[in-house]
Amino acid sequence: MHGGETPRPPFDGPVRHVYVHVPFCRARCDYCAFASVAVGGGGSATDVPRLFDAYVEGVAAEWERERAAHDVRRLRTLYLGGGTPSLLGPDRLERLLTVFRPHLTPQAEVTVEVNPEDAGTEFAAWAAGARRSPGSGALRGVRISLGVQSFLPELRAALGRTAQADPRAAFDRLRAAGVASIGLDLIHGIPGQTPELLAGDIATVLDLRPDHVSWYELDVSEGTALARRLARAEGTAGGGRRAAPVAALADDVRAAGYRRLVRALSRAGYDWYEVSNFARPGHKARHNLACWRARPYLGLGPGAVSTVGARRWTNSADPRAWAAALAAGRRPTRSVEELDDATRARERLLLAARCGEPVPLEAVSAVVDPDALAASAGAGLVSVRGGTLRVTRKGRHVADGLCVRLFRAPRLRG
Amino acid sequence: MAVVTPLDHIRNFSIIAHIDHGKSTLADRILERTGTVAPRDMKEQLLDKMDLERERGITIKSQAVRIAYAARDGQTYQLNLIDTPGHVDFTYEVSRSLAACEGAVLLVDATQGVEAQTVANAYLAVDNDLEIIPVLNKIDLPASDVPEAEMELHELTGATHDEILTISAKTGEGVDEVLEAVVQRTPPPEGDPTAPPRALIFDSEYDQYRGVIAYVRVVDGHFDRRQLVTLMSTGQGAEIEELGSFGPGMTPAERLETGEVGYIITGVKDVAQVRVGDTITDRRRPAGEALPGYKVVHPMVFTGLFPTEGDKFEELRDALEKLKLNDAALLYEPESSVALGFGFRCGFLGLLHMDIVRERLEREYGLELITTMPNVEYHAHLTGGGMAVVRNPAQMPEANSIERVEEPYVTASILVPSQFVGTIMELCQGRRADFVDMKYLSPERVEMHYRLPLAEIVLDFFDQLKTRTRGYASLDYDYSGYRASDLVKLDVLLAGEPVDALSLIIPRESAHQRGKALVTKLRQKIPRQLFEVPVQAAIGNKVVARETVKAVRKDVTAKCYGGDISRKRKLLEKQKEGKKRMKQLGVVEVPQEAFLAVLELEPGAKGR
């Protein structure tokens, strides 16, 4: 049998993927619910360099511990996310990469998230040069994921992004320096983002032709500054004053915007390979794909999440406590979640649904309601062929509702 | 040992009245003035024991109370007041209660005049050869119109001005005259103390410790404690464990004499064995003939009762079992519906009876229920001969196998101020009603008779009647047999699959309009699904109305990276859990609220 997928339990197997969480930002964005610490201008305050250095040392120490614990030999992907990894600057990033270099395979994908204001010529040179630095024969390229959010300053302002750097110029610098794979990070569904303004961002993206696009719908998390502002806007709705905060977009408008950008990017040759991710041929984010295919991954850094086999754990989010523990030779505190077979199978299904990845039926049949599966297949939301289940593109638009539908009903209590 | 009251010092009477005309208040006043109840034990509606009765101001179960009354002639009389239900649903119980009496106080609110139930109750009293004592109540109110009400009472009973008492049960004015009239005008009981004993059961009550308590009127002979007795309709034998009178609580005695009213406890556990209207006799010296008038009452209105939570089915069954102990007329059989799960098809005497049972289930047993559209019992005569009894629209045979469908009709009597005659005629025209006759009780008030399908009354006739006459019309009705009608079964289909719980049997001419209303409401109440869902109303294969529930355009969160997976999964699992209250109908998920909304759309389903 060729190409037969081994129904290995989700997240089982040797660890080949590492995520490093860089929990620092200049200022917290209004919509952000991530673990991050605002450090102002970056490097000016006296204790910031010390904080950054302690952080890099911490990652090195944690990596050594976890590498030994999980017997990690070779890394296929390394992802530096945040937070704002670019805030560390090229030197510290280089030191960070040095920690992992001995373990990266020649084909390894290394991704760094960058904010436009950090993507100066020096940074661009490092990003492009990292692939040629001495002793780095093992490293072919650094993927850059550029945090654009929107090309329109007023929409960035609506998100509380105050940095004035032009993302277009940042992109051009990275390209000019020779970075081989550049992805853009964008947001749609921003308050005030009319269909026309969205069309403008789409046009700019198509004009720049990045290798990869992540385009997320704005998620207003409870407790964020944005959530408070939108709540205020609702309170003043009808007043119609210019000074009033801009109200949230209607669900219909956001859904239409999403359909529009999926259509536009697909037509332009981007593969819509995950709900919010698009790639030109050969440029899918292999690190994220590995997670979505339920392969085991390690997360390093404060607040980072790891999943290996039947266990998922989350580091405590406080960078100082995390660094102090590692400096003292202790493991940072973490919260652990044990995943039973059914839970892992459900995760497998929900992740695959988002990517349209094929899943062997036998891997999920214990958690899937056969009647719901038949009904969903009848409606063209999933296809079931040759013992393989695959969520169609049509199904991907409603992947959450579809999973809820497909999951077997929980046992009635009592 | 109680002193035996001679027959000619016993008076058995009841008070009959239209709802809200002051029956319970008069009873309270009588108990007070005769010292039957000590002032500190007095409370309003004393004879109505159930919370529900007090709250709604209605009487559901009959009650009796023995009163010692020192009359103006210097003699003390034993008065037995039997309090009867006032509603048409319980007409049979009322008729048996009246059969236990020799006299009836016919109470009329002087501000309202004679109402439909006044007329119905007066005729029930006439049928039972009772002496009628007409009484006008609420004369203390400025709105009372005594001459007008007197004239109506005269027309109804033939009573003259001098014979009609005027009172205020609220202030107590004239209440003594009522008691005097009961003594003077009501004949004493006429039984034969030496004949084989016979007692009429006019109501019964279930007590979880003592079994069935039969409320009786001894007609002939007497009954003693420990006596062996037989229930004549069933031949059921029993021994009297306890008997006594009501004062108003149960007061045990050694013997119940001829003419007396009281209770008998035999230890029989099943109310169905101690039926209202049955006769109790001595086992060794049985009476030759049972007392007349016994019949088994049949439910007229049916509905499906389903617990909103599927796992409450057993609790519902237990609760119905318990209610049934005290309610021989309640019928229930298990029913399963694709849409609503497991429940019961229940039969009731009428809408009030249904409301009461449902409310008691919810209140006393803490059950949350979905009630399907009430319907009547249809008789489908089949082309191949034979007849199907249809108590649930889903049971209706295929249209092509039916020769004709018959439905129960009633003769309705509507009393209304004369300016509303046109309004009533208009309403009745739209309700498949046949005009019978009309007579003027006075220049201002008219009694109209119609024959119409019971189903129309079950739907919303009463509500409409009240609305259109600003509450002035009153209604009473009597069953008058089955008649053929042009009826169809209207099905509701979701994504092509019929929803059994929403099927209706309705007149063909209203199918389109009712179907349209149903599918529109459903379309509004069913949330968008993962795919488009047609909502149709159909008669057989013919679709008469159609709407579409649109598909969800987008239902997927944007981000799902390492740290999000748990959160995401838990969210979806929680949503799945939340869907337990959704009913899965084929490929469609329907929230319970959608059913409730549709059932509410059908006005008869609402409580009164």
Side-chain angles (χ1 to χ4, degrees), chain A residues 153-175:
Chain A
E154 61 269 36
L155 290 184
R156 291 203 298 276
L159 297 171
R161 281 225 159 192
T162 49
Q164 292 302 309
D166 176 14
R168 219 183 150 117
F171 178 84
D172 290 341
R173 277 194 296 278
L174 292 165
R175 264 281 188 261

Side-chain angles (χ1 to χ4, degrees), chain A residues 33-337:
Chain A
F34 272 106
S36 81
V37 178
V39 295
S44 59
T46 48
D47 69 332
V48 170
R50 234 182 301 147
L51 186 64
F52 284 0
D53 290 339
Y55 168 77
V56 173
E57 293 315 308
V59 171
E62 191 173 24
W63 168 236
E64 281 314 308
R65 291 185 72 95
E66 296 302 319
R67 193 174 64 81
H70 298 280
D71 191 25
V72 186
R73 290 164 199 175
R74 327 235 32 212
L75 283 183
R76 292 280 179 171
T77 69
L78 174 68
Y79 196 104
L80 274 55
T84 311
S86 54
L87 194 56
L88 294 176
D91 292 348
R92 285 196 190 86
L93 284 171
E94 181 60 28
R95 264 164 54 203
L96 209 49
L97 275 195
T98 308
V99 171
F100 296 96
R101 276 220 173 87
H103 309 282
L104 292 167
T105 65
Q107 301 80 21
E109 170 199 272
V110 176
T111 306
V112 180
E113 287 182 353
V114 179
N115 272 6
E117 57 271 27
D118 296 324
T121 44
E122 192 196 349
F123 180 91
W126 169 78
R131 56 210 288 248
R132 286 189 299 275
S133 58
S136 72
L139 187 60
R140 283 195 181 170
V142 172
R143 275 185 83 239
I144 290 297
S145 177
L146 183 65
V148 173
Q149 321 316 337
S150 170
F151 288 101
L152 298 165
E154 61 269 36
L155 290 184
R156 291 203 298 276
L159 297 171
R161 281 225 159 192
T162 49
Q164 292 302 309
D166 176 14
R168 219 183 150 117
F171 178 84
D172 290 341
R173 277 194 296 278
L174 292 165
R175 264 281 188 261
V179 176
S181 187
I182 307 176
L184 301 182
D185 244 27
L186 292 121
I187 291 179
H188 69 94
I190 303 167
Q193 189 175 38
T194 60
E196 294 71 32
L197 294 184
L198 177 63
D201 270 352
I202 293 172
T204 307
V205 168
L206 296 184
D207 182 40
L208 294 177
R209 287 206 68 72
D211 304 293
H212 189 275
V213 177
S214 297
W215 209 324
Y216 308 103
E217 181 177 323
L218 178 65
D219 177 26
V220 182
S221 301
E222 248 178 86
T224 58
L226 183 64
R228 287 191 292 276
R229 200 163 68 226
L230 290 177
R232 275 206 304 283
E234 198 152 322
T236 58
R241 305 306 311 157
R242 271 207 100 81
V246 183
L249 292 187
D251 286 352
D252 276 3
V253 176
R254 291 189 296 182
Y258 178 58
R259 278 180 179 264
R260 180 176 196 164
L261 68 89
V262 168
R263 210 178 317 124
L265 289 169
S266 300
R267 277 200 196 130
Y270 288 85
D271 183 2
W272 179 40
Y273 72 102
E274 197 262 354
V275 170
S276 304
N277 285 278
F278 308 82
R280 290 169 59 194
H283 289 276
K284 287 180 193 166
R286 278 151 50 205
H287 178 83
N288 288 333
L289 261 183
C291 290
W292 296 330
R293 287 170 172 157
R295 290 179 54 76
Y297 58 90
L298 279 177
L300 308 176
V305 178
S306 307
T307 308
V308 180
R311 175 171 292 197
R312 175 170 298 139
W313 64 92
T314 307
N315 282 348
S316 84
D318 177 356
R320 287 181 175 85
W322 168 86
L326 287 164
R330 283 183 284 108
R331 195 176 71 186
T333 48
R334 51 168 69 163
S335 60
V336 178
E337 182 188 3

Side-chain angles (χ1 to χ4, degrees), chain B residues 290-307:
Chain B
L291 294 162
Y294 173 73
K295 64 176 186 183
V296 176
V297 289
H298 294 288
M300 301 297 289
V301 175
F302 298 84
T303 184
L305 288 182
F306 295 86

